[in-house]
């Protein structure tokens, strides 16, 4: 027969807080936000000039290219969407808001889909022999792997469920 302990059983603590594997998405958000801002400014700042748009959209201009202008406009809108979504996600994440896991999954899916659409559309519409398609496909594969790892993690992790509880 076993003896009864005079001390009550203490339940094992459930993992919670930004630690464990959840630390990796936290670091990626912390690094990803300034990186996305830098990339956006570096890539699209030249297109903030009205003369550039005039050259792209004026039929008499030697730089006239409506397709390229449409693709650049799409890129600007898509990247602004990702930037604002990432800002919102970062705020929710570090405040441990209950919506953060769903927004994280939504951000990951949007990021992958936007990159996929970008690759497809620019491949079909822009003929650029100097373009490094292998690098772009590898980036898409990397994003797919990231989604394949983190989307299920955010759906099933006990730590995620215990951490993001604030409404």
């Amino acid at each position: 027969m076993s003896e009864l302990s005079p001390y009550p059983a203490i339940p094992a603590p459930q993992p919670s807080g930004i630690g464990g594997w959840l630390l990796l998405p936290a670091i990626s958000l912390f690094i990803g936000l300034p990186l996305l801002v830098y990339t956006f400014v570096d890539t699209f700042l030249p297109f903030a000039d009205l003369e550039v748009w005039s050259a792209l959209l004026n039929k008499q201009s030697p730089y006239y290219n409506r397709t390229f202008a449409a693709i650049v406009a799409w890129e600007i809108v898509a990247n602004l969407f990702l930037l604002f979504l990432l800002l919102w996600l970062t705020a929710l994440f570090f405040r441990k808001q209950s919506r953060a896991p769903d927004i994280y999954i939504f951000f990951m899916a949007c990021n992958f889909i936007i990159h996929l659409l970008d690759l497809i559309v620019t491949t079909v519409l822009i003929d650029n022999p100097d373009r490094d398609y292998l690098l772009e496909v590898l980036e898409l594969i990397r994003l797919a792997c990231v989604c394949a790892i983190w989307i299920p993690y955010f759906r099933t992790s006990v730590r995620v469920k215990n951490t993001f509880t604030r409404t």
Side-chain angles (χ1 to χ4, degrees):
M1 250 179 154
S2 67
E3 291 183 34
L4 292 176
S5 171
Y7 304 105
I10 299 172
Q14 294 290 329
S16 67
I18 299 175
W21 289 110
L22 194 53
L23 195 56
L24 293 175
I27 291 169
S28 74
L29 287 174
F30 190 74
I31 293 170
L33 189 57
L35 187 61
L36 186 58
V37 169
Y38 171 78
T39 303
F40 182 81
V41 169
D42 185 54
T43 304
F44 298 111
L45 193 59
F47 293 99
D49 188 353
L50 288 177
E51 288 181 25
V52 171
W53 284 103
S54 177
L56 286 173
L57 296 173
N58 183 347
K59 289 183 181 181
Q60 283 73 37
S61 168
Y63 303 106
Y64 172 75
N65 191 332
R66 288 184 74 128
T67 304
F68 184 69
I71 289 171
V72 170
W74 150 254
E75 292 275 346
I76 290 171
V77 169
N79 279 283
L80 277 174
F81 172 73
L82 287 176
L83 180 61
F84 287 115
L85 189 57
L86 187 57
L87 278 167
W88 184 39
L89 169 60
T90 303
L92 292 175
F93 190 93
F94 289 107
R95 289 182 189 154
K96 300 177 184 172
Q97 297 286 315
S98 60
R99 291 181 291 173
D102 291 334
I103 302 303
Y104 189 88
I105 290 167
F106 180 68
F107 174 77
M108 299 294 288
C110 286
N111 194 20
F112 176 78
I113 290 167
I114 286 171
H115 276 80
L116 177 64
L117 288 174
D118 178 53
L119 180 62
I120 292 169
V121 168
T122 56
T123 300
V124 169
L125 297 178
I126 297 176
D127 181 28
N128 184 355
D130 298 327
R131 188 170 174 188
D132 190 353
Y133 289 100
L134 178 62
L135 191 61
E136 292 183 37
V137 170
L138 288 174
E139 174 63 13
L140 196 60
I141 291 169
R142 184 193 70 77
L143 286 173
C145 291
V146 167
C147 287
I149 292 167
W150 292 110
I151 289 175
Y153 174 79
F154 270 80
R155 281 281 174 227
T156 61
S157 168
V158 172
R159 180 179 293 276
V160 169
K161 287 182 179 91
N162 291 338
T163 299
F164 299 102
T165 57
R166 295 185 184 154
T167 55

